[in-house]
Amino acid sequence: LLGEMAVTFCVTFTFVNSVGSVSIVRGRSMLPTLEGGEAPFGADLVLVSSLAKRKCHPGDIVVCRSPISPSVYLVKRLIAEPEDVVQNIANGELVAIPPGHCWIEGDNVFESGDSTQFGPVPQGLLVGKVYAVLWPPSRLQWLTHQPVADVPHSFRVPKRNH
């Protein structure tokens, strides 16, 4: 029995870290795109692909570990990539995103603990890309890439071509 449990744990751990998982959205930070609430019936349950974490682009919804509290997982929108510049919507400051980092925000930016408060996030904390809402059935849908300009976020300064 102990051997079977160990094998089950190893297979599950490998699957979640290599392929994907399901995550519950908590809080109001991603309204109106995703609804957080009390699990299991009042919150969106989303499909997260771990395989796609290296292929995320601004506008994608991602899951990452909190840089402040690594045991907490955040569901946010990727706003900017390494070497981009953003104007922080919270304070108006220009922030250059360093190599190996990204800028994340909730769609409900004024009710979100995100990069507007803690700054750029190491890309190593990204867990995966959110592809679909699986629950509740009334919200079952694939999530399409939403350009950052369609929701109020920090302004991503266009790159200059030299």
Side-chain angles (χ1 to χ4, degrees):
L1 179 64
L2 190 56
E4 290 175 5
M5 288 175 54
V7 168
T8 301
F9 173 79
C10 290
V11 168
T12 303
F13 181 82
T14 302
F15 181 84
V16 167
N17 286 296
S18 301
V19 179
S21 62
V22 173
S23 184
I24 296 173
V25 177
R26 303 229 186 253
R28 301 173 45 85
S29 71
M30 284 303 293
L31 285 172
T33 310
L34 298 173
E35 295 182 10
E38 295 301 316
F41 302 109
D44 284 350
L45 194 64
V46 295
L47 176 65
V48 181
S49 170
S50 301
L51 292 173
K53 69 182 169 185
R54 301 206 190 287
K55 297 179 182 177
C56 294
H57 303 286
D60 291 339
I61 298 172
V62 298
V63 174
C64 72
R65 289 182 178 269
S66 167
I68 295 171
S69 181
S71 63
V72 174
Y73 290 87
L74 307 173
V75 178
K76 305 293 178 188
R77 189 171 301 276
L78 181 65
I79 302 299
E81 301 174 301
E83 301 181 21
D84 282 347
V85 175
V86 295
Q87 185 174 14
N88 187 334
I89 195 170
N91 59 22
E93 292 179 3
L94 290 178
V95 180
I97 311 303
H101 288 70
C102 60
W103 188 270
I104 59 168
E105 291 182 9
D107 285 356
N108 188 4
V109 72
F110 296 107
E111 287 198 42
S112 180
D114 54 30
S115 289
T116 62
Q117 296 166 352
F118 47 69
V121 174
Q123 287 179 311
L125 295 180
L126 290 179
V127 173
K129 179 178 174 179
V130 177
Y131 274 98
V133 176
L134 302 175
W135 186 267
S138 62
R139 292 190 37 78
L140 182 68
Q141 63 181 306
W142 290 107
L143 295 171
T144 58
H145 177 81
Q146 181 175 358
V148 173
D150 290 354
V151 288
H153 289 109
S154 294
F155 178 71
R156 187 168 162 226
V157 178
K159 292 182 181 177
R160 293 184 183 153
N161 293 330
H162 295 288

